[in-house]
Structures are given as structure tokens and as C-alpha cells.
Amino acid sequence: MPPDLSPLDGPPHRSERGAAPRRVDVVGIGADGWSSLAEASRALVAEASVLLGSARQLALLPAVEGQRRRPWGRPFGASLSLTLAAHADDEVVVLASGDPTVSGIASTLRALVPRERLVVHPAVSSLALARARLHWSDEECEALTLVGRDTDRLRRHLAPGVRLLLLTSDAGTPATVAALLVEEGYAASALTVLGDLGAAHESRLEATAGGWADVAAADVPALHVLALEVRPTGGDVAPTGSWTTGLPDDAFEHDGQLTKRDLRASALARLAPRPHEVLWDVGAGAGSIGIEWLRAHPSLQAWAFEADPGRAERVRRNARRLGVPHLQVREGRAPAVLERQPSPHAVFVGGGATAPGLLEHCRAALRPGGRLVVHGVTLETEQLLAAAYAEHGGELTRHGVETAAPIGTFTGWTPARAVTQWAWTAPPDHPTRWPGDPDWSTP
Ligand SMILES: C[S@@+](CC[C@H](N)C(=O)[O-])C[C@H]1O[C@@H](n2cnc3c(N)ncnc32)[C@H](O)[C@@H]1O
């Protein structure tokens, strides 16, 4: 039971100290509430005229006479913004679980409160507590948040021997994760549910993914970190554990409209993803270029444009299956479908390059230093690419890939259609024409 506090127990309210600008203090608290707080954080909580937090967190703290307490509303971001505006002249303390900078409220507040007014007071993160309980070092495991995110994101991280700490949405997550691991051939993986870390009623539950059916749903606490040691069921490990571009073609569901493995690797080498960059995959087909772009780093973003609704749906399925459900799929014909989309650092045109104006639209939209890669197999596209190369420079390459295959009882080379590839990098002074510019339709 938290002690009963009156404001007289701590230092005076900051508002009584004079005309200092109002600060917003973000105070991290553990599952054990008041006893997890350092002296300085206790004083801030006791002094606050307004205390914001989840209903669970607010209930963990002692009553303070005259203090107004505001539980989160929905939608969260809008409610937080309105509440802060309503209390612009008050001493506001925002409660957060553990370390507010770990998948926490600090990043939301950063966008709402000027830097000099925002002060973050971290407590021990649930991730640090989980590592301590498991004796895992930070260097040998990776943290991934599934809070408010699609569980399919986990698929990108699965490879034998990987150790993961998952921040989860609710008590149902371990069952969903166990089913996903079984589906991916990792039924032998060890799951440890570390519940209410730091609380007196802290708990620990262990099972393999394959054995999860025997765990009673009621035994899984809502607040937990889920630790995974990824182990394959048999010797046959899926190639999708690798993040290097050039997954086997059969890793994708496709109807033949797929940039094949060797050409895909070649294109992505030139698209050259760097953290936080945006790709347009124009004429996405099976979505393989956008998918491999996203798999290169979690901060990357990609938009896949596909005119055929059936193929667009297939792109979505492939993206989920390969761990990048955040691929943005837009149905429609380029160049019209490209308007008002975020300006890209890289553009791949895998099909339809002869559509009037398309190449110029894509070139114009690139940011300075952006990369354009276009593939073509027809004479018409080849002519277009040769003309673009003559006008703008870059790199023009013809790729012929031949694969050994049986000819009767012998083996011979089976050639695929030759692909002409034009790769071009925008100069540093490239005048990006942003989608939505008044002159966007006539670059
Ligand atoms: C939005 S994240 C916030 C993480 C927090 N900032 C931290 O440093 O622990 C919320 C998730 O963290 C995990 N979590 C937070 N506190 C926990 C605790 N005391 N015990 C177990 N898991 C906790 C749960 O997975 C929960 O769904």
C-alpha cells in the first residue's frame, strides 16, 4: 500500500519557486510503483499539480491532496496533446513504465513539448530486468517491440540461435508467437514469459513453441516480456533467416511477374538502402524488391505500386510472410498513382517503363543523391533506357543469366530473357519535384 503523502512532505511545488518556464517531467516507474522511485522522482510526483498516466500506474502512487490525476484517453496521441494544452500553466508529471525512452512515451512527448521543457527521469527498463533474470547480456540478444504492431514483423528476425526480447501487447501474444514459430519451422524454440517484472508477484513461465498448447491462457500475465531462443525443429533451416538480398525465387508467391533472384540482388545493390530511407517499387509484381529493401533494416520504408488488384493482394501476403507487413501497397497505374506519395530516396521500375512520362516522373521525384534503377526486357524499353543513358548518363548493363538444367540425360544451359538495366544517381543539386507540386504533372 503506498504511503499517504501531503505536499508538505516534499519540496514546494515548482510553481511556488518563481517564474521558471513550465517543465513537463516524464517519470519512469516500475511495476512496484512507489518503492521503485528514486528520491528525486518521488519529490516530482508529490509536487506535481497534475499527474498523467495509465489508470494502473496512477493507482500505484499515494494520494496527494489537491493533485489532479488524469488517466490516458483515446486516441492516445490526440488525448495527450489536448491534456497537455489544457494544463499548459500547471506543473505536469507524466508517468511512464520503466525507461520512457524504451518503446515509451518520450518519443510522443518529444513532438509535443519543446526540448528545453521536457525532462526524462528513467527507471529500470523491463528489458534490463528481463536480461538480469535470464543472465543474457545486452550484446547477445535483440529487443523488438510488438506493442501496437503486427506480430508478423517477428518473422524477419527468425534464425537459429537468435535470442529475442519481445515487448508485447497483451496476454494473447505468447500463443500467437508460438503458432508463428511452429509455422516457420522453429517449434523447438524456448519461450519464457517474464511477468510483472519488479513487482512482488513477479512470475516466470516456460514452454517450447511446439508445447505451448499445454499452457493455460489464464497463467499468462497481461504485463510481460516474452523471451525467445530460436531453435529449428529439424536440420532444414528456411533461407529466409538471411537478410542479404537475393532470396530464392520460391520464397515469394508469384505468377511469373517476379524480379528473379540474380537480377533482384543486382537491382538492390544499386538501390543501396540506407537507414530511414524511402523506396518506391513501381510495378511491384510479387513485391520482391520492396520486401527485400525493407528486410535490409527495420527503419526503412517502402511503397509498392501495382495496377493489378490480385497481384497487389499477393504483394501484401508476401510482405506479411517475409516479416515486413509495413510495406505500403498502393493499387493503381503509374504515374498517376505516384502523386502525393512521400518523396523517395530510391525508385525501382520493374515493369511498365514505357508508360508515357513514367521515367521522367520517377527521376524528378528522387531526392538529391537518390537512386533510380529500371529493368526492361522488350526492345521498346531497351530503346528508352538507351536514350535515357545517352541523355543523363549513369550505368547501362545487360544481364544474361543462364542456369544449368537437364537436356535429356545430359545437362545444358537454359538462358533466361536478357534484362537491360539502367541505374542512375541524382546529383547533389537535383531539383526534386515533390509529388503534389503544381508542376508535378509536367516534369
Ligand atoms: C510500451 S512498452 C514500454 C516499455 C518500458 N518503457 C520499459 O522500459 O520497460 C510496454 C511493454 O513493456 C513491457 N513491460 C513494461 N513493464 C513491464 C514489467 N514490469 N514487467 C514485464 N513487462 C513489462 C510489456 O511487454 C509491456 O507491454
Side-chain angles (χ1 to χ4, degrees):
M1 201 46 195
D4 197 16
L5 288 186
S6 87
L8 297 179
D9 291 329
H13 279 258
R14 279 167 292 149
S15 49
E16 293 165 21
R17 288 190 210 125
R22 301 283 179 215
R23 283 183 357 197
V24 174
D25 288 286
V26 191
V27 173
I29 64 168
D32 49 348
W34 184 252
S35 53
S36 70
L37 292 180
E39 272 310 312
S41 295
R42 287 184 180 188
L44 285 168
V45 168
E47 289 173 40
S49 47
V50 179
L51 197 58
L52 310 180
S54 71
R56 181 184 66 83
Q57 289 163 342
L58 291 171
L60 288 171
L61 297 176
V64 176
E65 208 184 312
Q67 186 176 70
R68 284 162 291 168
R69 297 192 165 187
R70 302 273 181 270
W72 304 133
R74 283 174 195 271
F76 178 70
S79 132
L80 181 60
S81 163
L82 287 174
T83 312
L84 286 174
H87 294 289
D89 296 325
D90 293 315
E91 304 295 348
V92 175
V93 166
V94 180
L95 299 175
S97 72
D99 180 346
T101 68
V102 175
S103 188
I105 198 170
S107 43
T108 315
L109 284 168
R110 198 177 50 187
L112 299 174
V113 181
R115 170 197 274 263
E116 64 282 3
R117 288 185 48 219
L118 186 65
V119 188
V120 181
H121 310 267
V124 179
S125 170
S126 58
L127 294 176
L129 290 172
R131 288 194 300 266
R133 302 300 184 262
L134 296 162
H135 300 168
W136 289 2
S137 71
D138 183 42
E139 300 78 48
E140 65 194 8
C141 61
E142 195 186 340
L144 181 67
T145 180
L146 297 179
V147 179
R149 290 190 172 80
D150 197 322
T151 314
D152 283 320
R153 279 188 178 234
L154 175 60
R155 295 183 198 268
R156 174 191 175 273
H157 298 264
L158 300 180
V162 164
R163 285 177 165 180
L164 287 166
L165 292 176
L166 305 181
L167 298 173
T168 59
S169 294
D170 55 43
T173 308
T176 310
V177 167
L180 185 152
L181 287 164
V182 171
E183 189 188 322
E184 292 286 341
Y186 291 109
S189 300
L191 277 69
T192 307
V193 178
L194 298 158
D196 299 291
L197 286 159
H201 57 283
E202 179 175 321
S203 63
R204 179 173 180 145
L205 180 62
E206 294 177 27
T208 62
W212 196 262
D214 297 333
V215 173
D219 289 343
V220 180
L223 188 67
H224 65 268
V225 170
L226 177 58
L228 298 185
E229 281 197 81
V230 181
R231 296 179 194 142
T233 312
D236 195 15
V237 173
T240 47
S242 169
W243 296 338
T244 296
T245 178
L247 287 173
D249 293 341
D250 61 11
F252 301 90
E253 185 194 329
H254 65 92
D255 59 358
Q257 290 297 311
L258 173 79
T259 303
K260 305 289 187 306
R261 182 180 204 171
D262 297 289
L263 266 298
R264 198 178 334 120
S266 168
L268 275 145
R270 289 165 175 81
L271 292 167
R274 296 164 199 157
H276 305 285
E277 288 191 335
V278 170
L279 169 83
W280 285 0
D281 182 1
V282 182
S288 65
I289 295 285
I291 289 170
E292 291 203 344
W293 167 278
L294 288 176
R295 283 170 58 89
H297 195 267
S299 69
L300 289 162
Q301 300 178 61
W303 271 252
F305 303 100
E306 174 53 56
D308 181 280
R311 287 196 185 126
E313 200 39 57
R314 190 179 288 118
V315 172
R316 290 189 187 96
R317 282 198 297 278
N318 279 328
R320 277 196 298 277
R321 184 70 182 68
L322 290 162
V324 289
H326 49 299
L327 175 65
Q328 303 289 322
V329 182
R330 300 284 181 272
E331 278 173 43
R333 295 215 159 269
V337 70
L338 306 175
E339 293 203 16
R340 290 184 299 281
Q341 302 301 323
S343 202
H345 300 86
V347 177
F348 178 71
V349 182
T354 50
L358 178 65
L359 275 198
E360 269 314 294
H361 271 80
C362 292
R363 227 176 53 79
L366 276 178
R367 301 186 193 214
R371 288 81 61 199
L372 173 65
V373 176
V374 188
H375 283 185
V377 289
T378 64
L379 280 178
E380 288 76 5
T381 312
E382 196 171 278
Q383 281 167 9
L384 198 75
L385 299 186
Y389 173 65
E391 189 179 348
H392 304 293
E395 188 188 2
L396 192 64
T397 313
R398 205 164 126 95
H399 295 266
V401 178
E402 301 187 16
T403 312
I407 305 179
T409 55
F410 293 92
T411 306
W413 295 113
T414 304
R417 272 189 216 282
V419 174
T420 303
Q421 179 190 63
W422 180 50
W424 179 81
T425 301
D429 59 352
H430 177 65
T432 304
R433 306 245 187 114
W434 292 78
D437 273 357
D439 58 350
W440 168 241
S441 54
T442 54

